[in-house]
Amino acid sequence: MPALDFMLTGAHIVDGTGAAAERADVGLRGDRIEYVGLSADARADVTLDCTGMIITPGLIDPHSHSDWSALGNPDAFSTIHQGVTTEVVGNCGVTYAPVADHDVDAAAGALRALGYDGPVDWRGFGDYMTRVHAGPTAQNLMWFVGHTALRSAAHRADDPPREQLRLLEEAMDAGAIGFSSGLEYGAGRFSATAELVALAQVAGKRKGMYASHIRNRDAGLDDAVDEFFEVVAGGGVRAQLSHLNVRHDTGATPGAWERAAERVVNERRRGTDVLADMTPYPHGIGMATGLLPPWLAERSPDEAAALLTNREIRERVRRDSDRYWRFVHRGQWHRVRLGVSPTHPEWEGLTFPEIAARHGADEWECLFDVLCAAGSDMGSVQLLGELFTESHLSEAIAHDHFLLGVDAFTTCREGALAGRTRNPLFYHGHTHYLAHHVPAGTLSLETAIHKMTGMVAEHFGMRDRGVVRAGAFADVVVFDPAILERTDTWSLPQRYADAARHVWVNGVPVVTDATHTGRRPGLMLTHRP
């Protein structure tokens, strides 16, 4: 056997297929796994004694928003330290390309809040991806283009959506695997099903994918799931039903989630290539503008902000905002924290009752003041909400048709991002599956790793990734199970996870002894049917 670059000895291998862990050594050479087995005489430039450790494929997040922060954090500190080597980005319809001239200032403001202070001098999706990967990045990225971005960049009178179709074709020519939609907020709220079907047909002809944050996850969940599958069938696309869950106490009918999950199962039986995904914590991020009623949300951010300075408009919004996080309309503001605010960073991380006490006004007034101050950057205001019950989380995480994602973005402990990502979700979301849900008996370690690696790679068409086997790409993690066992992933904000002792991306060590090496070997991945 030719000399290896790295030989990892003494560990148990959880190979990403769901098979039981087995004792084996792993050899890496170049960007590939060269050897998996037991060999006492294999030669390597570096040999690591991994006795007592667990070797897994690099984790793959099927639903990430790290495209938002990749320019501000190309080292991917918070995610790479968790062993995440690949992220599927561009979800929920929100990407910062394509971008029209009239949206450049808003995009620049949003990206500035996420650590990037450079120019927004791209317009097309391909130019944006080139900018991100010229960085380059520590982790691999696979891209959707956002439907909201397509809508905004297209001509205003784009009906039928010919300009959107052209922009989608351009994005897929540049490497996007398809398009995503966010139908509960932003411009996606005002799209017709026929528009989405037309776009899906373009993606389907190119063997692409459609991922959707569907239109409703409370009282209208059944109809929203029906619409999702109408788009999927109309376009003949492979599909991902994003974070299929039901927010607690928001009016969902009994059995709505169970019917939705069973629909995914039945559609797969009929031959539809579809899966869903879930998040690890009871809380998650959301767009503040999603709370606004349609008659206000359909206006430009500047116009909406100006209207919100009017007392009568504010009173009308209070009456008409029973949507999205509907528990807010029921007065449950204690479940909501301010996540990102370009103009009120001193309030980030506080609950709205805490903000109200500081501001001397009630919670609605505080939200209105934050949105007014943001102006054209209104779309960058993010919330963190306590959304789900533990029992609902466990049921979805254990479901065999659900992948395990985090629905957040990679962050770091320095600069603009540090103050905007204080929640453990950003630093420990992936680790939480292994440190909390596995010991709790929600699922086995082998199943958890499969739903975070090989199952994701297969569904998204990432050939030779997501498994530990000879010939696969050397995206590899060495976990210390003792550290996983003692890690408190509930209350460690802004501390990098350290159970992933060693992380390789495409054969390059990015984390060594739980320390970032500063190397950025990440690639832009495209679907390979």
Side-chain angles (χ1 to χ4, degrees), residues 314-331:
R314 290 190 174 202
E315 291 303 318
R316 184 182 172 193
V317 171
R318 286 174 181 254
R319 295 191 303 270
D320 292 353
S321 292
D322 189 13
R323 66 172 315 278
Y324 193 43
W325 290 7
R326 297 180 67 209
F327 54 84
V328 168
H329 197 74
R330 300 178 181 193

Side-chain angles (χ1 to χ4, degrees), residues 380-426:
S380 69
V381 178
Q382 295 176 19
L383 307 176
L384 276 165
E386 296 177 10
L387 306 178
F388 317 114
T389 64
E390 274 289 331
S391 61
H392 178 44
L393 272 179
S394 297
E395 189 173 8
I397 288 168
H399 196 289
D400 60 7
H401 284 59
F402 279 58
L403 305 173
L404 304 183
V406 170
D407 191 17
F409 49 87
T410 189
T411 188
C412 58
R413 296 185 301 185
E414 293 80 31
L417 280 166
R420 294 182 162 90
T421 50
R422 297 182 179 93
N423 196 284
L425 175 73
F426 297 95

